[in-house]
Structure formats: C-alpha cells, structure tokens
Amino acid sequence: MKEKTISLRDIEGIGPATEAKLKEAGYLTIEALAFASAKEISDATGLSYDKALEITEKARNFLGIGFMTADEYYKKRQNVGYITTGSKAFDNILGGGIETQAITELIGEFGTGKTQLCHQLAVNVQLPKDKGGLEANAVYIDTEGTFRPERIIQIANNMKLDPNETLKRIYYTRAYNSDHQILIVEELMEKMPKFGARLVIVDSIVSHFRSEYPGRENLVVRQQRLNKHIHDLHRIANLYNAAIVVTNQIVASPDIFFGNPNKPVGGHIIAHGCTYRLMLRKGKENQRIIKIFDSPIHPESETVFRIFEGGIGDVEE
Ligand code: GTP
Ligand code: MG
C-alpha cells in the first residue's frame, strides 16, 4: 500500500484557499508552519494574525512540539545518537562522540584541525551504528572554500570504504555571504529528509558575519542575524535528530593583555547558542589537544588526538 503523504491540509482549519496562500508564501510543510511566528505568516500571506496563530499552534501540536514532561524529554534524549570522531580518546571525553539534537562548536586558531574534523565526521556519520555512525548522510556548508573531496577520498580509502559512494552521501554547498548562509539553512529545513542527512556542518559559522558586520556599530545587527541562524540550526537538530557541527576560528590578538586573548568570536550569541563547545589547540607534531568547556553535562576535561593522512585518529594506535 502506498504510504499516505502528509500535507498542510492535515491541519484542521487549513482548507484549499488557505493552503494555496501558505504555499504561495513558501510554507510548504507542517514543519515550516510550526517553526514560523504567527506575525511572519500573517505578513507573508495576508491571513489574519489570529488565524496565523491558530495555524502555528495546530502545526506544533500535530508535530508534538511544545511543553513536555521531564520523563517525555528523557525519552527524547534516549534517541540521541553519537558520531565517532575517529579517536577513542576524543569520543570518551564526549561520552560517546558528537551528539545529535545538539550544536557542537569547534573552536581554535588556524591549522588546529577544525576543517579536518569536519571532513572526518562527514564520512563517519555514514558508518553503521556499531562502527560509530548513524547510517546517514551529511550536509557540508562551506563558507571559506576549504572543503576538499580529495581529502574525503583519502579518509574513505583509509577506512576501506568505497570513496565514490562516500562522496555521493555528502551534500555540499558553498555559502557566499551571510544572507546566503542563512538562506541555505532555512531551505535545508525542508531538504533534510530528501538528503537523508543526520549531520550538518557549517565551516565556519561566523566568518561571513565577522567580515560583513565589522566593528561595534554593527554588533547588534550581526548578533540578531547570527541568533536567528543558530535558532534555525537548533530546529534542524531537534526536528531530524541531527548533529550540528560548526567551527569558529579564534584570533589571538596581541594587543589584549588582560583577560583571555584567545576569545572566540561571535560573542554571547554563539556562546549561549551552542550546546557543546570544544577548544582545539596544537600539540607537538601532528597532535592536537581538545578541551571541553562550557558543557551542561561534561566535566571540563581534555585529551589528545592526531591528524594523519587517513584522517583523525588516536595518538597511540
Ligand atoms: P582554519 O580554517 O584556518 O581556522 O584552520 P583549521 O582549524 O580548519 O585547520 P585545518 O583543519 O585545515 O588543519 C590543517 C592542518 O591539518 C594542517 O596544518 C596539517 O597540520 C593537518 N593536516 C591536514 N592534512 C593532513 C595530512 O594528510 N597529514 C597530516 N599529518 N596532517 C594533516
Ligand atoms: Mg578550516
């Protein structure tokens, strides 16, 4: 029997005319309605505010979003999946690997391995569950033009995976400016099921925002836009039980003598917006030190991994 497809009409109160208006304004799925504000819908469609409010509430009920009891939340947490980083030591301090239903931020200076880790995770998410993957595909949003399929091939070969198949399971896009980056993630909300993805990488999350909104005078606008962007990423994480990994470069500024000279950019929006924050720094040779800070459930701890031709691994193997 053919599976019934869910349409906007499944929401009580949405008839053919309302459906047409919503679709015309770009609201194609119940998810899109559930996560929009009533004002936004009303402005875009010409429906009354009250009608729009009713629609968003019904859409949320339909998807089971909203208040839940702590035991229901606990059950939702039981579905959290883990993606291995490629290093057991690294996985261990994370309690299993990179989590779904969360945003993990990789922070570090240039060359600390943020992009390398992103490449490795885009492969690892594809692995079967007993090998540390989620048997799912990856989305790679590249803001700096540093994604290299050649590197994916190297990593796949080292893991004895078919490199071509591995490449086919990574949905790649460049983001050319911050508006484009925001739009990509907005559209991704609907594309996730089609992509079969459970990992979304944004490398790097702040570089466009930083260069387009320089200085204190632009701070408010920049933070507002970044805030929206991070909220969209959280929605994807929760709706599709997906892991979100974002990178954030820190720039050591020699003119700061007091406080922490290695302050991550993005300010409090990024700091509060990301669930887990991981700080990377260089160790000797190809070793890298990873430190968890600002985590709601992990103690502050650090460990060492290495970057090699085959990707990310443990120091002693
Ligand atoms: P920015 O994007 O500039 O902030 O840096 P990043 O943190 O993303 O650094 P990236 O992940 O690009 O790390 C680059 C580093 O990874 C290089 O400097 C090398 O040290 C290391 N690396 C990359 N490929 C290999 C490899 O095949 N073998 C080894 N041993 N190291 C590698
Ligand atoms: Mg990089």
Side-chain angles (χ1 to χ4, degrees), residues 109-116 151 249 288 307-309:
E109 279 185 60
F110 73 94
T112 45
K114 303 182 293 294
T115 300
Q116 292 302 315
R151 188 69 177 128
Q249 197 193 52
R288 297 291 186 275
I307 309 174
F308 70 111
E309 296 69 45

Side-chain angles (χ1 to χ4, degrees), residues 41 91 206 297 303:
I41 295 179
D91 289 350
V206 283
I297 54 169
T303 190

Side-chain angles (χ1 to χ4, degrees), residues 111 113-116 144 146 203 247:
K114 303 182 293 294
T115 300
Q116 292 302 315
E144 300 180 320
T146 53
D203 183 20
T247 68

